[in-house]
Amino acid sequence: MSGPRRDYRGIVDAHELFSHVHFRRREPAPGLRTQVANYWLIDWDLPEPYISHVVPHPSVNLVFQHYESTGERAFAEVAGIGLQLFSQKLEGRGRVCGVKFRPGGFRPFAPDHPVSRWSGRRLMADEVLAVPAPVAAVLDPVEEDARVAALDAYLLALVPEPDPQAERVMALVERVRTDRTIRRVDELARTEGLSARSLQRLFATYVGVGPKWVILRYRIHEALERAETDPEVDWATLAAELGYSDQAHLVRDFTTTLGVPPTALAGR
């Protein structure tokens, strides 16, 4: 598996976010890279509140969080796949250390339930994972290497069993992400020798959402990136490239997901 990708697809106005927070990605220990895409670390100290917006990936995240301005204790939660635009208000000082699992990679860490059980939900980590989350060990260190080491130690302690089906699904989702010719669930199922219904069950169990949702979400990520980087994007052409029947269909999906049409973000 490759290391953390450098693209920031899904983050709405990434440059604006990075002007407010210190954001970086780190690789997990080699023994975790099959299931874990990356660790993501954010620290902030803001004179004024800032609201970040993210179009979620088809990934489960384990998130250690401390918002000093709220006066609440630090905590860790499992964030299932976000089905809607995720917005988070940041103010004062705070710190987040997150684990982004590869789509399909979380199931071996919590094998008693289908991953769809967590979709659209955020639960305390200790309700989902067998080993108590080391909140202080992850969030307290000043040195980020120590935080990464604490995340490695915790996930390695969970000792996920090898799961060939999880590996199969992770490879399938990666194909969807990188191959624009994959536009239909029945076509994807056929390449795997499965019925569409069987593929849907497989995705619900290991990813947490259906294959159609994954296909559409990666399309929206692509459209968002183009909207923010190309002030003269040809939406009709892009719609065709992404497999939409027409421009109106793309605009409708984009607007439903982000709450604004793509032209509102064009060239930002």
Side-chain angles (χ1 to χ4, degrees), residues 44 46 49 66-72 89-95:
W44 65 90
L46 299 172
H66 186 204
Y67 302 92
E68 291 186 19
S69 60
T70 67
E72 297 178 4
K89 183 179 182 179
L90 306 175
E91 54 187 328
R93 296 178 61 190
R95 172 173 295 168

Side-chain angles (χ1 to χ4, degrees), residues 184-247:
R184 296 175 54 88
V185 173
D186 56 354
E187 293 172 353
L188 181 62
R190 190 161 47 248
T191 66
E192 288 295 303
L194 297 171
S195 67
R197 186 181 295 268
S198 295
L199 184 65
Q200 289 164 352
R201 286 198 296 266
L202 189 65
F203 268 60
T205 300
Y206 282 90
V207 181
V209 291
K212 181 178 180 179
W213 190 98
V214 174
I215 292 169
L216 291 174
R217 181 48 51 94
Y218 283 135
R219 288 177 178 177
I220 293 298
H221 282 173
E222 176 78 10
L224 173 61
E225 181 182 57
R226 293 286 289 275
E228 294 191 329
T229 59
D230 184 357
E232 299 181 357
V233 60
D234 183 329
W235 293 106
T237 299
L238 180 59
E241 290 176 1
L242 296 178
Y244 281 94
S245 57
D246 54 38
Q247 178 179 341

Side-chain angles (χ1 to χ4, degrees), residues 1-7 24-28 33 36-39 102:
M1 290 289 184
S2 61
R5 299 199 309 274
R6 293 186 179 275
D7 71 77
R24 56 266 191 225
R25 291 184 178 136
R26 295 288 300 269
E27 281 193 316
R33 292 175 192 170
V36 177
N38 59 71
Y39 299 148
R102 297 185 187 278

Side-chain angles (χ1 to χ4, degrees), residues 113-217:
H113 300 285
V115 179
S116 58
R117 181 184 181 95
W118 322 119
S119 296
R121 304 174 65 193
R122 302 175 74 90
L123 299 95
M124 291 297 102
D126 294 352
E127 297 179 44
V128 180
L129 300 169
V131 178
V135 175
V138 171
L139 290 173
D140 287 355
V142 174
E143 295 294 329
E144 70 177 65
D145 285 351
R147 300 180 221 168
V148 170
L151 290 171
D152 283 341
Y154 175 57
L155 294 177
L156 289 169
L158 292 171
V159 194
E161 294 291 331
D163 187 336
Q165 286 289 70
E167 295 177 9
R168 180 186 190 185
V169 173
M170 285 187 281
L172 270 173
V173 176
E174 183 64 9
R175 279 184 56 202
V176 172
R177 187 185 71 81
T178 58
D179 186 350
R180 284 187 179 178
T181 67
I182 298 175
R183 299 174 176 178
R184 296 175 54 88
V185 173
D186 56 354
E187 293 172 353
L188 181 62
R190 190 161 47 248
T191 66
E192 288 295 303
L194 297 171
S195 67
R197 186 181 295 268
S198 295
L199 184 65
Q200 289 164 352
R201 286 198 296 266
L202 189 65
F203 268 60
T205 300
Y206 282 90
V207 181
V209 291
K212 181 178 180 179
W213 190 98
V214 174
I215 292 169
L216 291 174
R217 181 48 51 94

